[in-house]
Amino acid sequence: KQEVTQIPAALSVPEGENLVLNCSFTDSAIYNLQWFRQDPGKGLTSLLLIQSSQREQTSGRLNASLDKSSGRSTLYIAASQPGDSATYLCAVRPGGADGLTFGKGTHLIIQP
Amino acid sequence: DAGVIQSPRHEVTEMGQEVTLRCKPISGHNSLFWYRQTMMRGLELLIYFNNNVPIDDSGMPEDRFSAKMPNASFSTLKIQPSEPRDSAVYFCASSLLLGGYTFGSGTRLTVV
């Protein structure tokens, strides 16, 4: 059974810092990996989607990498801003099945 | 595109009552997923459909839960009878087959 782990569970940093959120998964047979953002009391917003054949995706200040063989992904946030404060969720779409398996998330606070 | 639309946004009901949650996926998406989110367990996949056909309902917690997708533009998740432990946020998501997910805003269910 696929398991997804996100480290750290919580992170608080001052504004302007670059930071890295980590995600690991136990079964490397995946179709894709997706990073989401969730604000308190809100739904999930897709940030980046990485297909299994890709190594990384970039959107603005966000960069996500994927190392399928080692079962790891990282989300890099450059020049963090208070508006980046949210919970960030990593999810993998397993090979041979369609349902996403989610990690528990990293609760990020950017201090002004 | 209006995105994935869920209704109601909030539902408060008494134990033993029937609850019906509704979802309209993005037009053209052929996969639809129902998730439940709680603080303790995070996001859990309940059931998903491909081309309106239920594929995997192994995440449905009990027989009290049922889901239908009568056509490509509508799905329901029903709980009958509801119990306090069903209180959670229920999300619907849709995607193209093996593509990235788009989530709805969720339904916050409280069973008293």
Side-chain angles (χ1 to χ4, degrees):
Chain A
K1 177 186 173 185
Q2 177 76 268
E3 293 183 3
V4 180
T5 303
Q6 290 188 246
I7 295 174
L11 182 63
S12 181
V13 300
E15 179 179 5
E17 284 200 5
N18 302 324
L19 52 97
V20 175
L21 308 182
N22 296 293
C23 171
S24 62
F25 45 95
T26 54
D27 187 345
S28 62
I30 64 170
Y31 274 111
N32 58 46
L33 181 145
Q34 198 165 357
W35 283 93
F36 294 88
R37 167 185 174 141
Q38 186 174 29
D39 293 287
K42 304 292 186 182
L44 280 70
T45 300
S46 179
L47 298 173
L48 291 164
L49 170 68
I50 311 176
Q51 300 294 346
S52 62
S53 58
Q54 298 174 321
R55 293 301 298 260
E56 65 177 346
Q57 283 287 331
T58 298
S59 176
R61 295 182 293 109
L62 304 180
N63 175 275
S65 67
L66 174 63
D67 184 343
K68 205 173 76 159
S69 61
S70 68
R72 295 181 187 277
S73 176
T74 61
L75 179 66
Y76 176 83
I77 303 177
S80 58
Q81 302 171 358
D84 296 331
S85 298
T87 296
Y88 289 80
L89 293 153
C90 166
V92 297
R93 194 160 198 175
D98 290 343
L100 282 177
T101 300
F102 280 84
K104 292 288 180 65
T106 293
H107 181 56
L108 176 65
I109 296 175
I110 306 299
Q111 306 155 9
Chain B
D1 195 329
V4 177
I5 300 173
Q6 291 187 246
S7 64
R9 290 297 307 275
H10 302 275
E11 177 80 34
V12 180
T13 190
E14 291 185 349
M15 181 174 63
Q17 295 298 305
E18 177 180 297
V19 176
T20 299
L21 311 181
R22 297 172 175 79
C23 176
K24 176 179 169 56
I26 289 176
S27 178
H29 280 189
N30 47 16
S31 295
L32 182 139
F33 308 82
W34 283 100
Y35 280 84
R36 177 171 69 175
Q37 186 177 38
T38 61
M39 288 292 292
M40 289 294 294
R41 301 171 70 94
L43 276 158
E44 302 172 282
L45 177 64
L46 300 177
I47 185 171
Y48 71 92
F49 298 82
N50 284 344
N51 297 314
N52 312 337
V53 176
I55 302 300
D56 184 355
D57 65 355
S58 60
M60 298 285 259
E62 299 172 35
D63 291 344
R64 299 184 294 107
F65 286 70
S66 63
K68 293 182 179 180
M69 191 165 186
N71 57 62
S73 59
F74 184 66
S75 177
T76 59
L77 177 67
K78 185 176 295 186
I79 308 172
Q80 165 66 14
S82 57
E83 297 182 3
R85 59 196 168 115
D86 301 331
S87 297
V89 181
Y90 291 81
F91 287 103
C92 175
S94 70
S95 78
L96 291 170
L97 199 64
L98 302 178
Y101 278 38
T102 300
F103 277 76
S105 298
T107 294
R108 183 173 297 275
L109 173 65
T110 303
V111 183
V112 298

PDB file of all heavy atoms in Angstrom, chain B residues 72-89:
ATOM      1  N   ALA B  72     -22.377  12.315 -16.711  1.00  0.00           N
ATOM      2  CA  ALA B  72     -21.022  12.868 -16.658  1.00  0.00           C
ATOM      3  C   ALA B  72     -20.935  14.198 -15.929  1.00  0.00           C
ATOM      4  O   ALA B  72     -19.833  14.674 -15.648  1.00  0.00           O
ATOM      5  CB  ALA B  72     -20.494  13.035 -18.080  1.00  0.00           C
ATOM      6  N   SER B  73     -22.068  14.798 -15.610  1.00  0.00           N
ATOM      7  CA  SER B  73     -22.022  16.135 -15.014  1.00  0.00           C
ATOM      8  C   SER B  73     -22.567  16.194 -13.591  1.00  0.00           C
ATOM      9  O   SER B  73     -22.779  17.277 -13.044  1.00  0.00           O
ATOM     10  CB  SER B  73     -22.798  17.123 -15.888  1.00  0.00           C
ATOM     11  OG  SER B  73     -24.135  16.712 -16.026  1.00  0.00           O
ATOM     12  N   PHE B  74     -22.776  15.024 -12.960  1.00  0.00           N
ATOM     13  CA  PHE B  74     -23.380  15.064 -11.641  1.00  0.00           C
ATOM     14  C   PHE B  74     -23.064  13.802 -10.846  1.00  0.00           C
ATOM     15  O   PHE B  74     -23.135  12.691 -11.375  1.00  0.00           O
ATOM     16  CB  PHE B  74     -24.895  15.217 -11.784  1.00  0.00           C
ATOM     17  CG  PHE B  74     -25.640  15.366 -10.485  1.00  0.00           C
ATOM     18  CD1 PHE B  74     -25.455  16.480  -9.691  1.00  0.00           C
ATOM     19  CD2 PHE B  74     -26.515  14.382 -10.054  1.00  0.00           C
ATOM     20  CE1 PHE B  74     -26.141  16.622  -8.493  1.00  0.00           C
ATOM     21  CE2 PHE B  74     -27.209  14.514  -8.858  1.00  0.00           C
ATOM     22  CZ  PHE B  74     -27.018  15.638  -8.072  1.00  0.00           C
ATOM     23  N   SER B  75     -22.737  14.009  -9.565  1.00  0.00           N
ATOM     24  CA  SER B  75     -22.518  12.872  -8.674  1.00  0.00           C
ATOM     25  C   SER B  75     -23.059  13.211  -7.290  1.00  0.00           C
ATOM     26  O   SER B  75     -23.100  14.384  -6.902  1.00  0.00           O
ATOM     27  CB  SER B  75     -21.033  12.543  -8.569  1.00  0.00           C
ATOM     28  OG  SER B  75     -20.793  11.496  -7.652  1.00  0.00           O
ATOM     29  N   THR B  76     -23.477  12.201  -6.561  1.00  0.00           N
ATOM     30  CA  THR B  76     -23.938  12.383  -5.194  1.00  0.00           C
ATOM     31  C   THR B  76     -23.232  11.410  -4.268  1.00  0.00           C
ATOM     32  O   THR B  76     -22.879  10.293  -4.666  1.00  0.00           O
ATOM     33  CB  THR B  76     -25.451  12.168  -5.061  1.00  0.00           C
ATOM     34  OG1 THR B  76     -25.774  10.833  -5.487  1.00  0.00           O
ATOM     35  CG2 THR B  76     -26.236  13.180  -5.869  1.00  0.00           C
ATOM     36  N   LEU B  77     -23.043  11.851  -3.040  1.00  0.00           N
ATOM     37  CA  LEU B  77     -22.550  11.006  -1.954  1.00  0.00           C
ATOM     38  C   LEU B  77     -23.615  11.066  -0.859  1.00  0.00           C
ATOM     39  O   LEU B  77     -23.955  12.146  -0.389  1.00  0.00           O
ATOM     40  CB  LEU B  77     -21.207  11.500  -1.426  1.00  0.00           C
ATOM     41  CG  LEU B  77     -20.613  10.730  -0.244  1.00  0.00           C
ATOM     42  CD1 LEU B  77     -20.213   9.316  -0.661  1.00  0.00           C
ATOM     43  CD2 LEU B  77     -19.394  11.465   0.321  1.00  0.00           C
ATOM     44  N   LYS B  78     -24.132   9.901  -0.485  1.00  0.00           N
ATOM     45  CA  LYS B  78     -25.233   9.851   0.470  1.00  0.00           C
ATOM     46  C   LYS B  78     -24.795   9.107   1.723  1.00  0.00           C
ATOM     47  O   LYS B  78     -24.098   8.075   1.634  1.00  0.00           O
ATOM     48  CB  LYS B  78     -26.438   9.167  -0.166  1.00  0.00           C
ATOM     49  CG  LYS B  78     -27.698   9.163   0.704  1.00  0.00           C
ATOM     50  CD  LYS B  78     -28.871   8.546  -0.043  1.00  0.00           C
ATOM     51  CE  LYS B  78     -29.279   9.369  -1.233  1.00  0.00           C
ATOM     52  NZ  LYS B  78     -30.522   8.845  -1.876  1.00  0.00           N
ATOM     53  N   ILE B  79     -25.202   9.608   2.857  1.00  0.00           N
ATOM     54  CA  ILE B  79     -24.950   8.944   4.133  1.00  0.00           C
ATOM     55  C   ILE B  79     -26.314   8.740   4.803  1.00  0.00           C
ATOM     56  O   ILE B  79     -27.046   9.682   5.042  1.00  0.00           O
ATOM     57  CB  ILE B  79     -24.050   9.792   5.069  1.00  0.00           C
ATOM     58  CG1 ILE B  79     -22.773  10.217   4.349  1.00  0.00           C
ATOM     59  CG2 ILE B  79     -23.695   8.989   6.321  1.00  0.00           C
ATOM     60  CD1 ILE B  79     -21.924  11.207   5.131  1.00  0.00           C
ATOM     61  N   GLN B  80     -26.612   7.480   5.062  1.00  0.00           N
ATOM     62  CA  GLN B  80     -27.898   7.148   5.652  1.00  0.00           C
ATOM     63  C   GLN B  80     -27.790   5.877   6.489  1.00  0.00           C
ATOM     64  O   GLN B  80     -27.521   4.807   5.932  1.00  0.00           O
ATOM     65  CB  GLN B  80     -28.953   6.968   4.562  1.00  0.00           C
ATOM     66  CG  GLN B  80     -30.250   6.277   4.980  1.00  0.00           C
ATOM     67  CD  GLN B  80     -31.061   7.082   5.987  1.00  0.00           C
ATOM     68  OE1 GLN B  80     -30.813   8.261   6.202  1.00  0.00           O
ATOM     69  NE2 GLN B  80     -32.014   6.425   6.612  1.00  0.00           N
ATOM     70  N   PRO B  81     -27.986   5.942   7.812  1.00  0.00           N
ATOM     71  CA  PRO B  81     -28.213   7.134   8.622  1.00  0.00           C
ATOM     72  C   PRO B  81     -26.891   7.779   9.010  1.00  0.00           C
ATOM     73  O   PRO B  81     -25.864   7.105   9.140  1.00  0.00           O
ATOM     74  CB  PRO B  81     -28.905   6.550   9.858  1.00  0.00           C
ATOM     75  CG  PRO B  81     -28.303   5.186   9.994  1.00  0.00           C
ATOM     76  CD  PRO B  81     -28.057   4.698   8.582  1.00  0.00           C
ATOM     77  N   SER B  82     -26.893   9.074   9.218  1.00  0.00           N
ATOM     78  CA  SER B  82     -25.660   9.777   9.584  1.00  0.00           C
ATOM     79  C   SER B  82     -25.364   9.599  11.078  1.00  0.00           C
ATOM     80  O   SER B  82     -26.268   9.386  11.893  1.00  0.00           O
ATOM     81  CB  SER B  82     -25.780  11.262   9.251  1.00  0.00           C
ATOM     82  OG  SER B  82     -26.900  11.831   9.909  1.00  0.00           O
ATOM     83  N   GLU B  83     -24.063   9.669  11.414  1.00  0.00           N
ATOM     84  CA  GLU B  83     -23.595   9.543  12.791  1.00  0.00           C
ATOM     85  C   GLU B  83     -22.612  10.677  13.080  1.00  0.00           C
ATOM     86  O   GLU B  83     -21.986  11.201  12.147  1.00  0.00           O
ATOM     87  CB  GLU B  83     -22.923   8.191  13.013  1.00  0.00           C
ATOM     88  CG  GLU B  83     -23.852   7.003  12.822  1.00  0.00           C
ATOM     89  CD  GLU B  83     -23.171   5.680  13.092  1.00  0.00           C
ATOM     90  OE1 GLU B  83     -21.979   5.679  13.489  1.00  0.00           O
ATOM     91  OE2 GLU B  83     -23.831   4.635  12.920  1.00  0.00           O
ATOM     92  N   PRO B  84     -22.448  11.042  14.349  1.00  0.00           N
ATOM     93  CA  PRO B  84     -21.514  12.140  14.684  1.00  0.00           C
ATOM     94  C   PRO B  84     -20.103  11.917  14.146  1.00  0.00           C
ATOM     95  O   PRO B  84     -19.434  12.876  13.750  1.00  0.00           O
ATOM     96  CB  PRO B  84     -21.544  12.161  16.217  1.00  0.00           C
ATOM     97  CG  PRO B  84     -22.938  11.695  16.552  1.00  0.00           C
ATOM     98  CD  PRO B  84     -23.242  10.639  15.517  1.00  0.00           C
ATOM     99  N   ARG B  85     -19.641  10.676  14.087  1.00  0.00           N
ATOM    100  CA  ARG B  85     -18.276  10.414  13.597  1.00  0.00           C
ATOM    101  C   ARG B  85     -18.140  10.632  12.097  1.00  0.00           C
ATOM    102  O   ARG B  85     -17.028  10.572  11.561  1.00  0.00           O
ATOM    103  CB  ARG B  85     -17.840   8.993  13.944  1.00  0.00           C
ATOM    104  CG  ARG B  85     -18.712   7.899  13.378  1.00  0.00           C
ATOM    105  CD  ARG B  85     -18.409   6.589  14.102  1.00  0.00           C
ATOM    106  NE  ARG B  85     -19.403   5.565  13.800  1.00  0.00           N
ATOM    107  CZ  ARG B  85     -19.098   4.447  13.150  1.00  0.00           C
ATOM    108  NH1 ARG B  85     -17.881   4.218  12.746  1.00  0.00           N
ATOM    109  NH2 ARG B  85     -20.042   3.539  12.926  1.00  0.00           N
ATOM    110  N   ASP B  86     -19.245  10.900  11.405  1.00  0.00           N
ATOM    111  CA  ASP B  86     -19.173  11.233   9.987  1.00  0.00           C
ATOM    112  C   ASP B  86     -18.835  12.711   9.778  1.00  0.00           C
ATOM    113  O   ASP B  86     -18.609  13.132   8.634  1.00  0.00           O
ATOM    114  CB  ASP B  86     -20.517  10.933   9.303  1.00  0.00           C
ATOM    115  CG  ASP B  86     -20.928   9.480   9.426  1.00  0.00           C
ATOM    116  OD1 ASP B  86     -20.026   8.609   9.523  1.00  0.00           O
ATOM    117  OD2 ASP B  86     -22.138   9.207   9.435  1.00  0.00           O
ATOM    118  N   SER B  87     -18.816  13.475  10.837  1.00  0.00           N
ATOM    119  CA  SER B  87     -18.505  14.901  10.726  1.00  0.00           C
ATOM    120  C   SER B  87     -17.103  15.070  10.150  1.00  0.00           C
ATOM    121  O   SER B  87     -16.123  14.516  10.671  1.00  0.00           O
ATOM    122  CB  SER B  87     -18.603  15.578  12.103  1.00  0.00           C
ATOM    123  OG  SER B  87     -19.927  15.500  12.603  1.00  0.00           O
ATOM    124  N   ALA B  88     -17.010  15.835   9.073  1.00  0.00           N
ATOM    125  CA  ALA B  88     -15.755  16.009   8.343  1.00  0.00           C
ATOM    126  C   ALA B  88     -16.014  16.992   7.213  1.00  0.00           C
ATOM    127  O   ALA B  88     -17.134  17.466   7.017  1.00  0.00           O
ATOM    128  CB  ALA B  88     -15.270  14.677   7.767  1.00  0.00           C
ATOM    129  N   VAL B  89     -14.946  17.282   6.459  1.00  0.00           N
ATOM    130  CA  VAL B  89     -15.116  18.018   5.210  1.00  0.00           C
ATOM    131  C   VAL B  89     -15.022  17.008   4.071  1.00  0.00           C
ATOM    132  O   VAL B  89     -14.072  16.231   4.004  1.00  0.00           O
ATOM    133  CB  VAL B  89     -14.054  19.114   5.030  1.00  0.00           C
ATOM    134  CG1 VAL B  89     -14.294  19.865   3.723  1.00  0.00           C
ATOM    135  CG2 VAL B  89     -14.085  20.081   6.206  1.00  0.00           C
TER     136      VAL B  89
END
